[in-house]
Amino acid sequence: MTNHVVLFEPLMPANTGNIARTCAGTNTVLDLIEPLGFQIDNKKMKRAGLDYWDKVEIHMHDDLEAFLKTLKPADEMYLISKFSSKNYSEVDYTDQDKDYYFVFGKETTGLPETFMREYYDRNLRIPMSDNIRCYNLSNSVAMVLLEVLRQQGFPNMETSHHYENDKLKDDYNRPERYERNLGEE
């Protein structure tokens, strides 16, 4: 089982850099569908991804059709869109025999309408109020991806780690920390 974040024609290097960093931290493949709104070596993109670029498996696709040709019959593809009525957390992402692809649209126009209609049953929504038009792309990726990974048991990821210079190190040795009521002074 492999998870993929797919960005359709991303425009903003900072978003793509942040998403690449999230992919590095979650062992997720990043698929980029061209054309991109920036050069892959853009300074802003590299800065957003910091020094994690060598930790990300990136697949480039000439266009949406080329990307679709890479999918295998067992793969599960989901389109993330505010126009869907099905919540992303209502889907089971735990089948070990499948690779999961989560397709996100470009920041300005989202995914092509014809593509969304063709895969109507694969559209998923992130709940939000009507106070905003949409969430930031990199935040949307993080929300969906962490739900997927939660369901999968966070494969190949540390859920706890103690650092040599751990800011909470002393608290781990104090049993009374478990008895503390945060509502009391």
Side-chain angles (χ1 to χ4, degrees):
M1 169 173 47
T2 302
N3 295 313
H4 293 252
V5 166
V6 183
L7 302 182
F8 172 76
E9 300 181 1
L11 295 172
M12 299 178 186
N15 278 338
T16 303
N18 287 332
I19 292 165
R21 184 176 182 167
T22 299
C23 288
T26 59
N27 303 307
T28 300
V29 176
L30 177 59
D31 291 81
L32 299 174
I33 299 175
E34 298 183 281
L36 308 181
F38 49 85
Q39 296 294 324
I40 213 74
D41 60 354
N42 183 298
K43 260 196 271 185
K44 289 180 185 173
M45 190 169 124
K46 287 195 186 263
R47 188 173 354 160
L50 298 173
D51 54 351
Y52 303 106
W53 286 104
D54 63 327
K55 309 277 192 267
V56 183
E57 182 178 340
I58 300 177
H59 299 170
M60 299 295 296
H61 306 278
D62 291 335
D63 54 33
L64 188 55
E65 187 176 321
F67 161 71
L68 290 172
K69 287 180 182 177
T70 67
L71 298 178
K72 299 179 285 303
D75 293 339
E76 292 283 341
M77 178 181 68
Y78 295 100
L79 287 56
I80 310 303
S81 170
K82 70 178 183 179
F83 298 107
S84 177
S85 58
K86 186 173 186 176
N87 186 325
Y88 74 99
S89 64
E90 296 173 6
V91 177
D92 180 354
Y93 307 108
T94 59
D95 189 331
Q96 297 285 320
D97 297 325
K98 297 182 179 203
D99 286 351
Y100 292 93
Y101 291 79
F102 302 93
V103 185
F104 295 82
K106 72 167 80 175
E107 292 93 336
T108 54
T109 57
L111 293 167
E113 184 178 343
T114 53
F115 176 59
M116 292 173 61
R117 289 187 185 282
E118 183 176 351
Y119 295 95
Y120 181 80
D121 62 330
R122 294 293 166 170
N123 284 272
L124 301 176
R125 175 184 178 82
I126 302 171
M128 65 180 172
S129 73
D130 61 359
N131 293 331
I132 60 172
R133 186 174 56 256
C134 62
Y135 290 115
N136 170 275
L137 179 60
S138 61
N139 292 339
S140 297
V141 167
M143 284 186 253
V144 171
L145 191 53
L146 286 171
E147 169 60 18
V148 170
L149 293 164
R150 182 193 68 77
Q151 288 187 24
Q152 295 171 351
F154 299 105
N156 303 311
M157 296 173 66
E158 292 182 335
T159 57
S160 177
H161 186 89
H162 299 289
Y163 298 90
E164 184 178 327
N165 296 316
D166 197 324
K167 294 178 182 178
L168 300 175
K169 183 170 33 177
D170 293 337
D171 287 339
Y172 289 110
N173 299 320
R174 289 191 355 229
E176 67 273 11
R177 77 182 177 98
Y178 297 108
E179 299 167 10
R180 183 174 166 216
N181 183 343
L182 294 177
E184 297 176 0
E185 290 189 38

